[in-house]
Amino acid sequence: MSPPITPAEAEVFERFHDAVFVRDMEGNIRFWNCASAKLYGWPSCTALGAHARTLLQCRHEKEHYDAVHARLLADGYWEGELSRLTGTGIRRLVNARWSLRRDASGQPIGVLETGYDISSAKETERHLKASEYRYRNLFQAMAASFWELDFTAVGPKIRALLDAGVHDLEAHFLAHPEVVRDFMQSTQVVDLNDHSVRLFGRGDRTEMLGNIDRYWPDESIQVYARCVVKSLAGQPDNIEVTRMRTLEGKEFECLFTACFSKENIARGVILIGIIDLSELVEARHALEIMQTELAHVARVSILGELSASITHEINQPLTSISTYAQAGLRWLQRPEPDLREVENALVQIVDEAQRTDDVITRIRSMALRRPAQERDLALNEVIQDSLKFTDHELRKNSVRLTTDLATSLPPVRADRVLMQQVIVNLVMNAAQAMACANSSTRELTVRSALLDAREVRLEVLDSGPGIAPGLEGKLFDSFFTTKATGMGMGLPICRSIIEAAGGVIQLANRDDGKGGARVAFTLPALPQSNALGRGFPHAPS
C-alpha cells in the first residue's frame, strides 16, 4: 500500500493556514500539520497514530457518520460541519472538507481533511438570527406604527442641489415645498408592520407599499425635510408631533420618530415610528372643557359669596343717580330754572351710570363660561381691579387692607378673568379665615414684586390663625376644605390656573415673625423688549 502522503505534499500542507490532517482507511491519523495542532490543541506527537474519531470525539451536525462515509466512498468528496472536542476540553464547530485518496490501482488508501473553525461565526450568526427574530416580533407586535423606508433615490437629488450651490438645505426646502414633495415621491415604503396597515390602510399591506407622498398633508412636509437635513448632519433621530394622513384621506395628530443609524443610512434606509395621538388629543380637549366648567362654577360660587358687595357697588351709583335726578328736577321747577346746576346734575348722572355699567361689565366677565384667553397683562392693574370685588366684604369683616405693589413690573402672559378669579379667591379666603377665627387684629397685605427679572410674584398675607399642623400638604387637594359650607375646589382651581400659565403657587404659615398665613404665586415675566413691543410703558431709567 502506498504511503498516505508524500514528503513534498507534507511540506506544502505545513504552509496552510487551515488545519490539514490525513488518516488511513481505518481512521488512524498519519499526518498532522501545525494548524491542526493549533486548532485542536493536540501536538503531532499525540495525534499521529491516534484514531481520529476517538481523539476528536467527532459529532456530525446533520448526518450520521456511516452515511457520510458512504457518500465519501461513492463521490470521493464530502463537505460539512463537525463538532469536535479540543485538547483543552472545548468543543469547536469546524467546517471540514474530506477528499478520498487512492493508489495507482484506484483503491482508497486514506482521507485528506482540511478544516477551519467556524464557532465564532456560527455564534454570531445565531445571535444575529435571534436579534432579527426579536426585531421582527417587536416590529410586528408593538402597538405603534413602524415603517422601513428606502431613500436611495433621494441621494442623487441632494447631490444635485449641493452641486447647484444650495448650501442651506433647510431654508431651500422652506422656500420650495415642491422640492420636498419630489423627494417624498422618491422615498419608498419597503416594509411596515401590521399596526401600520390598521392605522393607515384598508387591510391590504401591499397597497401601502410605494412612495410616501400620499401620507403627508401639506402642513407636515417640512417634518420630512428636517429628517433629510438631520440625517445629513449625522444626528441620530428626529422626533416631532405632526399630522399624517391615511389612505382614506383622514388626518390625525401623531408622534413621529425617524431613526438615522449609520448602518441604515449607509444602506439608504430610514426607520420611522408613528404613534397615534388622536385619543390623547381628545382627552386633553375634554380635560380643558372640564377645567373651564369647574373654573366657571367656582367663579359663580365666588360671585354668590360677594353678592352683598355687588349689591352695595350697584346701589351706590343708583342712589346717586336718583339723588342727582331729583335735584335737577328741582332746579328746573324753580321760577327761574338754574340751567348750570341742571347741567351739573346731568353730568353726575352720566358719570354714575358709567360707573354702574363698569360694575356690571366686571361681574359679567367673571360670570361668563368661556375658554382661557391668554394675553399680556399688567399684574398690578389686575390686582387693583380684582380688589374692587372684595371691598365691601373686607369692610364687612373689619379687615384692614394694605397694598404694596412694586412699580414698573414687566407684564405676564395669562387670562385676565382667570387671574382675577385667583386673586379674589385668595383675598376672600384670607378675610374669611380671620373672621371665622375671631382674630382681634385683621390685617391683610397684598404685595407684588419682581424676582430676578424672570418672575413676577404676588403675595397675600393675613393675620389670622395660620395653617393648622398636618394640613399644609392637603389644602390644594380637590374637595378638601376647612369651611363648613365649602366645596374644596377654590384652591385646586387656583393652582390649575396658575400652573397653566407657567407659574407656581404655594401656601404656608408666615415666616416673618408674625402670625397668619402666606399664599403666593409666581408667573414668568415677559422680556422687557416684548413688553415694549406690545404697548407697555418704558421702565424708568
Side-chain angles (χ1 to χ4, degrees):
M1 180 181 289
S2 302
I5 191 169
T6 66
E9 289 176 320
E11 183 179 355
V12 172
F13 291 152
E14 281 293 351
R15 298 177 183 273
F16 277 29
H17 294 292
D18 289 348
V20 178
F21 70 90
V22 176
R23 66 179 185 272
D24 58 26
M25 296 307 295
E26 287 74 35
N28 299 313
I29 299 172
R30 304 293 298 278
F31 174 78
W32 186 261
N33 75 344
C34 293
S36 295
K38 182 177 180 181
L39 173 60
Y40 296 113
W42 297 106
S44 59
C45 61
T46 302
L48 291 175
H51 193 276
R53 291 185 64 191
T54 303
L55 180 69
L56 301 175
Q57 298 186 31
C58 179
R59 295 177 187 169
H60 289 258
E61 290 293 299
K62 296 181 180 179
E63 300 179 76
H64 190 272
Y65 178 81
D66 292 337
V68 170
H69 192 69
R71 286 183 56 192
L72 174 66
L73 293 175
D75 301 337
Y77 180 83
W78 178 85
E79 180 176 1
E81 295 174 3
L82 302 173
S83 173
R84 283 175 167 161
L85 189 68
T86 68
T88 57
I90 299 173
R91 279 214 166 266
R92 295 190 183 279
L93 193 62
V94 177
N95 183 274
R97 295 181 296 278
W98 294 353
S99 297
L100 190 64
R101 298 177 64 81
R102 301 177 187 272
D103 60 14
S105 64
Q107 293 299 313
I109 58 172
V111 179
L112 170 70
E113 177 182 317
T114 62
Y116 58 91
D117 185 6
I118 58 172
S119 304
S120 297
K122 277 292 182 180
E123 185 67 13
T124 301
E125 181 183 354
R126 187 180 68 80
H127 283 299
L128 184 61
K129 286 183 177 179
S131 177
E132 186 175 332
Y133 175 77
R134 288 194 300 270
Y135 165 76
R136 180 55 54 186
N137 280 346
L138 285 173
F139 190 79
Q140 288 297 345
M142 290 290 285
S145 174
F146 288 105
W147 307 44
E148 184 176 330
L149 307 180
D150 179 357
F151 68 100
T152 51
V154 174
K157 296 177 183 290
I158 294 174
R159 284 192 293 273
L161 287 178
L162 297 175
D163 292 342
V166 176
H167 300 296
D168 190 339
L169 285 174
E170 189 167 3
H172 184 77
F173 291 149
L174 283 171
H176 300 282
E178 71 281 0
V179 173
V180 183
R181 280 290 180 195
D182 178 58
F183 279 25
M184 295 172 78
Q185 289 165 5
S186 300
T187 304
Q188 303 295 308
V189 181
V190 295
D191 197 7
L192 57 144
N193 65 348
D194 293 340
H195 188 77
S196 301
V197 178
R198 291 192 293 269
L199 182 59
F200 284 88
R202 293 183 279 246
D204 183 0
R205 181 179 174 278
T206 58
E207 182 186 22
M208 293 190 61
L209 303 179
N211 74 69
I212 66 167
D213 178 62
R214 51 193 164 157
Y215 302 108
W216 294 77
D218 288 340
E219 65 189 271
S220 302
I221 63 172
Q222 292 304 323
V223 174
Y224 173 90
R226 282 190 286 275
C227 286
V228 172
V229 172
K230 288 185 176 181
S231 65
L232 291 174
Q235 297 189 28
D237 54 47
N238 183 52
I239 303 174
E240 295 188 49
V241 173
T242 186
R243 294 186 67 80
M244 296 196 75
R245 184 167 54 210
T246 69
L247 287 179
E248 297 287 354
K250 177 186 175 183
E251 293 186 11
F252 63 95
E253 193 165 358
C254 65
L255 179 67
F256 174 88
T257 302
C259 177
F260 317 125
S261 69
K262 292 181 179 179
E263 296 81 3
N264 285 336
I265 291 296
R267 295 191 301 118
V269 169
I270 292 178
L271 295 178
I272 66 172
I274 299 163
I275 297 176
D276 184 5
L277 299 180
S278 301
E279 292 184 2
L280 179 62
V281 171
E282 291 175 4
R284 187 171 58 203
H285 179 62
L287 179 61
E288 289 172 354
I289 292 175
M290 183 175 68
Q291 288 176 332
T292 300
E293 291 291 336
L294 284 173
H296 171 252
V297 169
R299 286 199 298 273
V300 172
S301 176
I302 289 173
L303 291 176
E305 293 185 46
L306 292 172
S307 57
S309 178
I310 292 169
T311 302
H312 176 76
E313 279 204 69
I314 293 177
N315 277 340
Q316 276 192 330
L318 290 178
T319 300
S320 298
I321 288 172
S322 178
T323 301
Y324 285 120
Q326 292 171 5
L329 284 174
R330 286 196 299 272
W331 289 114
L332 284 173
Q333 290 169 354
R334 286 191 171 192
E336 293 185 13
D338 191 334
L339 297 181
R340 181 177 294 277
E341 291 294 342
V342 172
E343 180 184 4
N344 179 62
L346 291 174
V347 169
Q348 295 298 327
I349 288 171
V350 171
D351 290 344
E352 293 300 324
Q354 183 61 50
R355 178 182 167 191
T356 306
D357 183 67
D358 291 342
V359 172
I360 293 172
T361 299
R362 196 163 67 242
I363 295 168
R364 284 190 65 219
S365 69
M366 279 282 282
L368 283 175
R369 181 193 288 108
R370 60 175 180 76
Q373 298 176 357
E374 291 190 349
R375 61 190 65 184
D376 296 356
L377 302 176
L379 187 60
N380 284 346
E381 292 180 7
V382 180
I383 294 170
Q384 292 166 343
D385 198 31
S386 303
L387 292 177
K388 294 177 183 177
F389 280 106
T390 65
D391 179 63
H392 182 74
E393 191 75 15
L394 295 179
R395 284 190 281 106
K396 183 182 75 174
N397 290 304
S398 302
V399 176
R400 185 162 67 89
L401 174 66
T402 302
T403 57
D404 180 14
L405 306 183
T407 58
S408 304
L409 283 181
V412 296
R413 185 78 176 170
D415 180 284
R416 185 181 188 87
V417 172
L418 293 179
M419 283 299 108
Q420 288 178 340
Q421 179 176 348
V422 171
I423 295 167
V424 169
N425 192 290
L426 299 182
V427 171
M428 290 283 290
N429 279 354
Q432 291 169 359
M434 290 185 287
C436 290
N438 291 318
S439 301
S440 56
T441 302
R442 302 180 186 179
E443 296 180 348
L444 186 67
T445 301
V446 178
R447 180 182 298 154
S448 65
L450 177 63
L451 305 180
D452 301 327
R454 294 192 300 270
E455 291 181 319
V456 173
R457 182 179 66 196
L458 178 140
E459 291 180 297
V460 177
L461 303 100
D462 65 52
S463 59
I467 303 170
L471 298 185
E472 296 91 339
K474 298 181 179 180
L475 294 174
F476 285 107
D477 293 346
S478 297
F479 306 112
F480 179 83
T481 180
T482 58
K483 299 179 184 177
T485 59
M487 294 175 58
M489 290 303 297
L491 286 175
I493 289 174
C494 288
R495 181 172 66 177
S496 69
I497 291 171
I498 295 300
E499 289 180 351
V504 176
I505 186 169
Q506 296 175 322
L507 178 59
N509 286 318
R510 294 176 65 163
D511 57 2
D512 57 358
K514 298 181 180 180
R518 169 187 176 272
V519 60
F521 66 78
T522 58
L523 293 172
L526 293 177
Q528 288 292 342
S529 57
N530 289 4
L532 298 178
R534 293 183 173 98
F536 281 84
H538 290 265
S541 57

